[in-house]
Amino acid sequence: SAVVRNSSFENGRGTQGGSVHVTSSASLDLYDSTFDANTATEDGGGAAYVTGTLFGQGNTFDSNSSIDSDDNRGGGALRTNDDDADVTFVDTLFCSNTSSSDGGALLNRRNGDLDVERSIFWNNSTNSRGAVFYATSDASGGGNPLFARVSAAANDSQSGDDDGWFIRNAHDNNENEYDHVSLDQCIVEVANDSQWGIDRGWSVTDSMFSANDILISPDGSQSGNDFSVTPSYAGNTCSR
């Protein structure tokens, strides 16, 4: 694997990833680095575009953007786009990233693996779906993204329908089948704003939700959701 430490990527601009493109045959370990104000112009991943393997720890993604408004070309900080993509973030800050398409911070396209642990999402936004995270897969299923010990606050989705401030989980060919998204020991709070909430095919374990405008999508009970340990819901409101 290539290894990058203690580096700064600023004001980069590219079609697939504003600063970094990890191809399907490549592997990158990224430590204690900063991505600031990078822009993806056509195919998403404001800071990074990944079809290979990326492990990141102690990094900051701040004010990156994806400006292509076509569906599934977002990911203000990062986009994956391969069944074999494997991305892990630990101790990472995602703040003020924006996307004109899906996924204000992250877009997990196809069936790649995405794990995020001990990380913070703050003030990310999208003009479309999934202020923090958007997942979509093809008919083969898979992916199963995991968020563990993650905090999310003040994220915003501007889409007029089924957008999801934290997760919007979709399926290309059969809207009744979804990747399974897990939230484990997460804190979700402080005016995350959208028309819908966490949407479709997800489970929650030992997590807390507070002061959100909407918690679960209106059809959440029909979407295979599983509360394996009763979470805490404090001060949430829901209107339909």
Side-chain angles (χ1 to χ4, degrees), residues 115-129:
D115 292 346
V116 183
E117 303 179 22
R118 301 197 308 265
S119 297
I120 296 172
F121 293 88
W122 181 77
N123 197 41
N124 300 283
S125 63
T126 174
N127 291 332
S128 187
R129 301 163 292 188

Side-chain angles (χ1 to χ4, degrees), residues 29-69:
D29 292 341
L30 181 66
Y31 298 96
D32 303 316
S33 296
T34 300
F35 292 81
D36 185 17
N38 300 287
T39 302
T41 59
E42 292 183 15
D43 209 15
Y49 184 98
V50 179
T51 56
T53 300
L54 172 64
F55 175 85
Q57 185 168 14
N59 302 294
T60 297
F61 293 83
D62 185 3
S63 302
N64 303 286
S65 60
S66 173
I67 61 175
D68 191 331
S69 61

Side-chain angles (χ1 to χ4, degrees), residues 96-117:
S96 302
N97 301 288
T98 63
S99 175
S100 296
S101 182
D102 304 316
L106 304 174
L107 170 62
N108 194 37
R109 176 74 171 143
R110 302 191 188 281
N111 300 309
D113 291 326
L114 175 66
D115 292 346
V116 183
E117 303 179 22

Side-chain angles (χ1 to χ4, degrees), residues 7 11 38 48 84 119 146 156 191 211:
S7 298
N11 300 309
N38 300 287
D84 296 322
S119 297
L146 168 67
D156 187 23

